[in-house]
Amino acid sequence: MKLLSVIVPCFNEDETLPIFQKEINKVATIFKTLDVILEILYIDDGSSDKTLETIKKLRLYDKRIKYLSFSRNFGKEAAILAGLEKAKGDYVVLMDADMQDPPTYLIDMYKAVSENGYDCAATKRATRKGEPIIRSFFAQLFYKFINKISKIEFVDGARDFRLMTRQVVDAILEIKEYNRFIKGIASWVGFKTKWFEYENIERSAGTTKWSFWKLFLYSIDGIIAFSTTPLILSMLLGLAFFFLSLIFILFIIIRTLAYGDPVDGWPSLAVIVLFIGGLQLFCTGILGQYLSKTYMETKKRPIYILRESELSNEDSEEE
Ligand code: UDP
Ligand code: MG
């Protein structure tokens, strides 16, 4: 018998959880025929609705369900980490609660890993159909940019829905950093990955927790965490402008010698001052980003704080 841990971060998902659990149960019966039992680990990420109550209710009927509950909302990345730390499975899979990661794929993903010699089965959306155009545009821009400047590969449209062997999970847990970006981390640790593609699926219920602004900040986190190229870019930019100014100085000296020095050109001067000023602020900003990440890392704060948890198989057993 093999154990497959299903990790499900939940933030205000009380509407979607019963639907999810029902679908997982269907898959679980198929898994049984493959000699695999499931452990379902819900991580309540400081939800303000009835998510935790719903999980507890589901657990009344099914002791394969375990849960962790955070003291506040720490974000999906923190929830994923908590799940990976507590999962006991020989195989571990990360899934969203909203059915955008179809449980029916689990069987094929499991087979790829257990039979076909892959360490990891990952998923990506085939197209960005159904997504707002502006969002698609910026998402694609982000992937182009990060792949240019980072040594590891970021797959466009990759989802967090991925099944891993114990070995891969342990490798991911070795990474202790505070600023976590699971897509990058999973790619950074390496291993043989099989990719599954499917069309994007609408949420079963509830609403997305990601605003455009949240996604934007998240993408900056990803870039800063996996590349120091922006620092080099800003340095090169500074250097380029230094040489440009040298050429300008020469030009002005020669022009003054040849034609004298009529006092005009202040508008262009003002523009140049503004431009260089802006550029300097931009580069200082980049520097600040790295500094702030370093600052957060050095504090060594816990990535999440548990309020309550239930990880046992029985009611009487205390974890
Ligand atoms: N999630 C979480 N903490 C957060 C935000 C989201 O645990 O702060 C969970 C959420 O409950 C869901 C998954 O992460 O299971 C993906 O979130 P969502 O569906 O809102 O994102 P989208 O699919 O729109 O990218
Ligand atoms: Mg979703």
Side-chain angles (χ1 to χ4, degrees):
M1 275 291 191
K2 294 280 184 197
L3 180 68
L4 171 65
S5 305
V6 183
I7 296 175
V8 192
C10 311
F11 178 51
N12 295 346
E13 300 281 7
D14 64 349
E15 289 176 54
T16 57
L17 279 181
I19 310 172
F20 178 81
Q21 184 60 41
K22 217 170 102 192
E23 292 300 316
I24 278 290
N25 285 341
K26 283 185 203 159
V27 182
T29 43
I30 306 176
F31 266 117
K32 221 175 214 159
T33 63
L34 298 170
D35 272 348
V36 179
I37 41 175
L38 262 59
E39 151 189 82
I40 297 128
L41 191 49
Y42 289 116
I43 296 101
D44 165 35
D45 184 11
S47 302
S48 53
D49 65 358
K50 296 210 163 20
T51 298
L52 186 58
E53 281 92 326
T54 310
I55 297 172
K56 284 181 181 168
K57 244 182 252 161
L58 291 172
R59 187 182 147 81
L60 285 180
Y61 302 101
D62 192 343
K63 291 291 176 283
R64 289 174 306 185
I65 297 174
K66 295 158 189 186
Y67 63 84
L68 303 168
S69 181
F70 288 177
S71 60
R72 65 169 170 85
N73 179 242
F74 281 90
K76 186 181 179 186
E77 293 288 340
I80 289 175
L81 175 72
L84 290 175
E85 281 179 353
K86 308 289 183 201
K88 298 203 183 72
D90 307 293
Y91 300 92
V92 174
V93 63
L94 306 175
M95 292 183 86
D96 287 0
D98 57 8
M99 301 296 297
Q100 284 185 308
D101 301 333
T104 41
Y105 274 75
L106 278 175
I107 310 280
D108 283 342
M109 288 166 79
Y110 175 76
K111 283 187 176 156
V113 173
S114 65
E115 290 168 16
N116 301 339
Y118 287 96
D119 305 299
C120 202
T123 58
K124 61 176 182 176
R125 51 191 346 195
T127 61
R128 291 192 167 271
K129 226 163 52 193
E131 196 182 52
I133 297 169
I134 302 178
R135 200 154 158 169
S136 289
F137 173 75
F138 279 104
Q140 274 160 353
L141 201 70
F142 165 73
Y143 282 106
K144 273 215 186 86
F145 183 66
I146 198 161
N147 278 317
K148 275 254 157 56
I149 65 172
S150 167
K151 286 197 189 81
I152 60 168
E153 200 203 352
F154 286 79
V155 176
D156 186 2
R159 298 192 55 88
D160 289 339
F161 184 22
R162 90 181 28 242
L163 192 147
M164 300 165 276
T165 59
R166 173 58 31 201
Q167 193 188 13
V168 178
V169 174
D170 288 342
I172 289 179
L173 288 176
E174 285 287 305
I175 298 177
K176 303 275 186 240
E177 57 198 49
Y178 181 85
N179 297 289
R180 301 188 76 81
F181 193 69
I182 189 71
K183 287 190 183 81
I185 290 174
S187 158
W188 189 88
V189 295
F191 292 104
K192 274 176 70 178
T193 302
K194 175 155 173 97
W195 285 93
F196 289 82
E197 270 187 34
Y198 56 84
E199 286 293 334
N200 192 38
I201 300 160
E202 293 282 313
R203 244 177 179 281
S204 59
T207 49
T208 176
K209 312 300 175 306
W210 293 93
S211 62
F212 186 80
W213 181 241
K214 235 174 145 181
L215 270 177
F216 177 70
L217 292 180
Y218 187 58
S219 67
I220 299 222
D221 276 353
I223 292 170
I224 302 287
F226 282 93
S227 169
T228 48
T229 311
L231 288 173
I232 296 166
L233 282 183
S234 69
M235 193 188 80
L236 289 179
L237 218 62
L239 213 63
F241 274 89
F242 172 70
F243 282 114
L244 211 66
S245 70
L246 281 188
I247 294 169
F248 263 119
I249 289 170
L250 267 180
F251 169 74
I252 289 168
I253 290 175
I254 292 166
R255 195 183 62 175
T256 313
L257 288 179
Y259 302 107
D261 184 19
V263 184
D264 63 4
W266 68 267
S268 47
L269 208 65
V271 169
I272 291 167
V273 169
L274 275 179
F275 181 67
I276 305 286
L279 207 68
Q280 275 174 342
L281 271 182
F282 175 68
C283 294
T284 321
I286 292 178
L287 201 65
Q289 278 299 317
Y290 284 94
L291 192 66
S292 75
K293 297 293 171 206
T294 318
Y295 174 62
M296 291 311 285
E297 293 288 349
T298 51
K299 284 196 196 196
K300 296 235 181 316
R301 283 190 184 163
I303 294 172
Y304 60 87
I305 293 171
L306 287 181
R307 187 166 169 275
E308 60 175 288
S309 68
E310 183 57 82
L311 295 167
S312 66
N313 291 322
E314 299 302 326
D315 269 335
S316 50
E317 255 177 49
E318 275 303 328
E319 180 67 27

